[in-house]
Amino acid sequence: YIGDNGASYTAPPTPPDFKYKLSRALVGGVREAGQGVIDIASEFGQYFNENVANLGYLEYGPDGIGYSMENPQDSQNFSLPEVPAPDAGMAEKLLSGLVQFGAGAAIAPIRGAGLVSQMGRGAFSDALFNPEDGNFSTMLKSFGLENEFLDFMDSQVDEDAGAEERLKARFIQSVEGAGIGGVT
């Protein structure tokens, strides 16, 4: 810095170690895939209890896991431990997303090496992504591309969306994932 009192130099802060960033992206991607499975199971349970038959609720709270026939208003959604990412750059976020997609494809209950199998794994894996973040169509719309097809395929929901709306968004993500999986 050059100022009235002369010149001075302050070294920039050292960035986190590359290995730390890499491991954070890998573990974060696997964590997000696992959390997606938990969230889908929770959303299916909520939808089923509200629209088909009340089978009861699992409650997760400070005392652990319990069971109740009543809808627990103060119960928290089960969440895996967060992976810290306060300064995640674009490369780290991209790698984490790719790992999440790969982990979802790896745990997909679909076997085989054909085109239909690849499309199924892509659909399953895309369903694990959080619908609050949107999907590929959401990203294209953020770049200014607008048409009716992108409006229909946009899966982004608000954080207070209900189970039915979230499941619909996950279905749309699955359809898009199957298409992208087929092209890939």
Side-chain angles (χ1 to χ4, degrees):
Y1 301 99
I2 299 176
D4 294 337
N5 298 333
S8 67
Y9 173 76
T10 305
T14 9
D17 183 64
F18 172 76
K19 293 177 195 173
Y20 173 73
K21 284 185 172 185
L22 178 64
S23 62
R24 188 171 58 188
L26 295 174
V27 171
V30 171
R31 182 249 180 233
E32 291 300 319
Q35 188 64 48
V37 171
I38 292 168
D39 290 346
I40 288 174
S42 174
E43 291 159 7
F44 267 118
Q46 289 173 10
Y47 178 79
F48 192 84
N49 278 345
E50 293 169 3
N51 298 297
V52 180
N54 185 2
L55 298 177
Y57 296 86
L58 286 176
E59 302 175 294
Y60 172 72
D63 298 329
I65 297 177
Y67 176 78
S68 171
M69 289 303 288
E70 304 277 328
N71 186 355
Q73 299 302 322
D74 60 343
S75 179
Q76 306 162 351
N77 288 333
F78 182 76
S79 182
L80 295 173
E82 294 287 331
V83 175
D87 60 342
M90 181 64 80
E92 188 176 347
K93 289 178 184 176
L94 179 63
L95 179 60
S96 181
L98 290 172
V99 169
Q100 180 180 355
F101 184 83
I107 64 172
I110 301 160
R111 299 292 167 242
L115 175 65
V116 175
S117 298
Q118 295 297 344
M119 290 174 69
R121 280 192 285 280
F124 181 85
S125 188
D126 264 15
L128 299 180
F129 282 84
N130 188 347
E132 292 173 21
D133 298 334
N135 57 359
F136 188 66
S137 297
T138 308
M139 183 185 74
L140 291 177
K141 286 179 64 175
S142 74
F143 291 138
L145 296 171
E146 290 286 337
N147 64 39
E148 291 174 17
F149 180 73
L150 288 179
D151 290 340
F152 176 74
M153 292 301 292
D154 185 0
S155 69
Q156 191 170 28
V157 297
D158 295 331
E159 76 177 43
D160 59 343
E164 185 174 359
E165 190 176 354
R166 294 177 77 79
L167 288 171
K168 179 184 172 194
R170 289 183 189 276
F171 177 75
I172 291 171
Q173 288 176 188
S174 293
V175 169
E176 186 182 80
I180 291 173
V183 169
T184 302

